[in-house]
């Protein structure tokens, strides 16, 4: 199967496409600090969205930590929607702004809806920022959860695999 | 990396695990009938959820049609939660009942929440039923969307790959 042509609305997201690996640090007022190994994949099938799959593992024990899967929907006007599902029972809808140039990209998205399965822990809002320069990515995540206000939670430094 | 041991709450979902391929038929009052090829993958990492990734292609043109990704969360009491994201800008939370025996399974889930990104088409409810007998799966999907009541939309017949 030949690779499909990138849909025109996806062109600004081209610097994201591929597999990224690296390490990150997590902190939150209610838990101990932790380090993790991350793998992040962005793919497309020629349609006007980019699929995302993320997995993290504990940097010491290699035990699986978090995962999430979702889809970026660039709107063609510099804004992007992101829908996400997480094994913790959380689904999210985020919107935000994209700036992109040859080989570089900055995407800053904030939740417009966070919805929980009946048994999920309380998360009320998230923000995700992704900055790519060539083959390097810095990804940050903020979260309002379990009664805490929007607080920085994760920073990952990834390289194109 | 060795395969992790299945988490005890996932034991009733064991008949699902693996890669499934087959064909399906779709219909809805607002569109023409269509046929599709489906690939459905259920995996686990030793934690109390099963990850799902689905892709369909047009049976004639082989063009990608639908995709979705999400996570089943068995609750240990015969009930299961499912969280899903779709590239159409839809996230879903479903709950329902599981019956399972050696090599067989029936799972019937209905949406308790369907949430839309700002540019998504209106879907207000879904139901998904998955019946496995050995290496055969029948998967049905019902949808309330674009003003139509809950209506049967898809039937797929898949075989374990």
């Amino acid at each position: 199967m030949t690779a499909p042509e990138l849909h025109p609305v996806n062109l600004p997201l081209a610097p994201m496409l591929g597999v990224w690996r690296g390490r990150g640090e997590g902190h939150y007022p209610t838990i101990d600090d932790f380090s993790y190994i991350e793998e992040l994949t962005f793919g497309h099938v020629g349609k006007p969205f980019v699929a995302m799959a993320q997995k993290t593992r504990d940097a010491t024990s290699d035990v699986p930590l978090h995962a999430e899967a979702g889809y970026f929907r660039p709107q063609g006007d510099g804004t992007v929607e992101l829908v996400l599902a997480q094994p913790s029972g959380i689904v999210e809808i985020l919107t935000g702004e994209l700036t992109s140039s040859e080989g570089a990209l900055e995407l800053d998205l904030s939740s417009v809806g966070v919805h929980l399965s009946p048994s999920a822990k309380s998360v009320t809002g998230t923000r995700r920022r992704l900055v790519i320069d060539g083959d390097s990515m810095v990804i940050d995540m903020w979260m309002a959860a379990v009664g805490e206000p929007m607080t920085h939670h994760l920073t990952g430094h990834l390289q194109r695999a």
Side-chain angles (χ1 to χ4, degrees), chain A residues 3 33 45 49-50 61 77 83 86 91 101 128 134 143 145 154 158:
Chain A
D33 293 358
V45 294
F49 62 87
V50 167
S61 68
D77 60 356
V83 290
Q86 300 175 38
V91 292
S101 60
R128 292 155 188 274
M143 180 171 73
L154 305 170
L158 284 74

Side-chain angles (χ1 to χ4, degrees), chain A residues 60-146:
Chain A
T60 308
S61 68
D62 207 39
V63 165
L65 291 178
H66 185 73
E68 52 193 43
Y71 303 93
F72 291 87
R73 293 163 51 83
Q75 299 296 302
D77 60 356
T79 68
V80 176
E81 300 175 353
L82 170 61
V83 290
L84 270 183
Q86 300 175 38
S88 45
I90 298 169
V91 292
E92 294 183 38
I93 299 170
L94 303 98
T95 62
E97 304 280 333
L98 167 76
T99 54
S100 168
S101 60
E102 186 74 22
L105 176 154
E106 183 169 345
L107 190 55
D108 197 333
L109 304 172
S110 292
S111 58
V112 293
V114 178
H115 307 281
L116 309 174
S117 71
S119 71
K121 274 191 204 149
S122 169
V123 174
T124 53
T126 65
R127 176 184 164 206
R128 292 155 188 274
R129 188 181 62 200
L130 195 154
V131 179
I132 292 173
D133 184 7
D135 293 331
S136 297
M137 179 191 300
V138 180
I139 185 162
D140 285 278
M141 193 265 201
W142 294 255
M143 180 171 73
V146 293

